Amino acid sequence: MSVFAALGTLLSWFADCLAPLFGASATAAAIVLFTLCVRAALHPLARAAVRGEKARAALAPKMAELNRRHKRDPERLRRAMAELYRKESVSPVAGCLPTLVQLPVFFVMYHLFSTGSGAGDLLDHTLAGAPLGGRWGGDLAGPHGAVYLALFVLIAAVAGWTYVRARKAAAGRPAPAGVPAGAAKLLPLMSFGTLVTAAVVPLAAGLYLATSTTWTAVERALLQSTGRDREERAKGGARSSG
């Protein structure tokens, strides 16, 4: 049995369990629940990614100074950066590897919900009457336009919230090493890329994108907030002991 067939079977089981509550929209509800379960299982990797990002962000001022000092000597700059990473016990790819490990899972799920491959009649089911295989472009003004519009508004709201948080987080920080300052200012706009994608994929994939991006936004906000609280408590304890 292929991975898509296995996931399709599991998704069908979820839908059967949810049918008494959601009726004809049980498969759509199963997509949301299935996505939440997968994201919950991947949460430890997300925590590791955030820790790595914070570790690299803490080195950003020192990295900027090394770039300024050795900008005319790339080899010396490389050695200085390697020494800094070694001294601070931080990996150059901290925060990247956990994210890369998650990518194949996201690709498989996106492919499943975009094509219905291995999931039988997945795209033939409906959400409030709107077919899961339908797309916004053809149905936004149709009888089920409210379903697509609600999903669009949710994704846009999450993208806007993510954009605002990213701009605040980037304020006052130097651009990442190797990234031009102008390009760094545009990075937060990538959160709106989900809107473009959701506009051309089937409704089933749009549901997956909306659920996954909402989870990501809330998860990162909570992890970053928890990290700040810990840092403030640590600083408070250091001042008290001093």
Side-chain angles (χ1 to χ4, degrees):
M1 180 181 292
S2 70
V3 63
F4 296 109
L7 292 178
T9 299
L10 184 57
L11 189 66
S12 296
W13 180 79
F14 271 60
D16 290 340
C17 293
L18 295 173
L21 292 175
F22 295 95
S25 298
T27 299
I31 291 174
V32 174
L33 179 60
F34 182 73
T35 303
L36 292 175
C37 289
V38 172
R39 293 309 305 266
L42 294 175
H43 179 67
L45 290 175
R47 290 173 61 90
V50 170
R51 286 197 301 268
E53 290 170 5
K54 289 181 178 179
R56 287 190 295 112
L59 292 182
K62 295 180 180 180
M63 296 292 287
E65 174 59 23
L66 290 178
N67 272 296
R68 185 194 64 78
R69 189 183 306 170
H70 304 303
K71 62 182 179 180
R72 298 182 183 278
D73 190 344
E75 180 58 27
R76 189 173 181 182
L77 175 61
R78 185 190 64 79
R79 292 198 303 268
M81 287 183 171
E83 175 62 21
L84 177 61
Y85 282 124
R86 185 195 64 77
K87 181 179 179 181
E88 299 292 338
S89 299
V90 175
S91 169
V93 294
C96 299
L97 286 180
T99 300
L100 292 176
V101 171
Q102 297 177 68
L103 289 180
V105 180
F106 296 153
F107 170 77
V108 168
M109 294 180 64
Y110 174 77
H111 182 79
L112 174 68
F113 297 134
S114 296
T115 66
S117 177
D121 60 350
L122 167 67
L123 299 184
D124 294 332
H125 290 273
T126 62
L127 170 62
L132 294 180
R135 289 172 168 79
W136 289 5
D139 293 324
L140 190 56
H144 307 301
V147 175
Y148 296 91
L149 182 60
L151 195 62
F152 182 87
V153 170
L154 172 59
I155 294 176
V158 173
W161 185 45
T162 301
Y163 171 76
V164 171
R165 287 183 56 81
R167 286 294 301 270
K168 288 182 179 179
R173 290 184 181 178
V179 178
K185 292 181 179 179
L186 296 177
L187 287 177
L189 290 173
M190 292 180 64
S191 60
F192 291 97
T194 307
L195 282 172
V196 179
T197 303
V200 297
V201 298
L203 178 58
L207 277 174
Y208 161 69
L209 291 173
T211 305
S212 190
T213 54
T214 301
W215 175 284
T216 298
V218 174
E219 180 181 60
R220 292 185 68 86
L222 291 176
L223 288 175
Q224 291 168 355
S225 176
T226 300
R228 284 194 298 268
D229 291 343
R230 289 176 178 173
E231 292 173 0
E232 291 175 359
R233 287 197 297 268
K235 292 178 181 178
R239 287 194 294 268
S240 298
S241 60

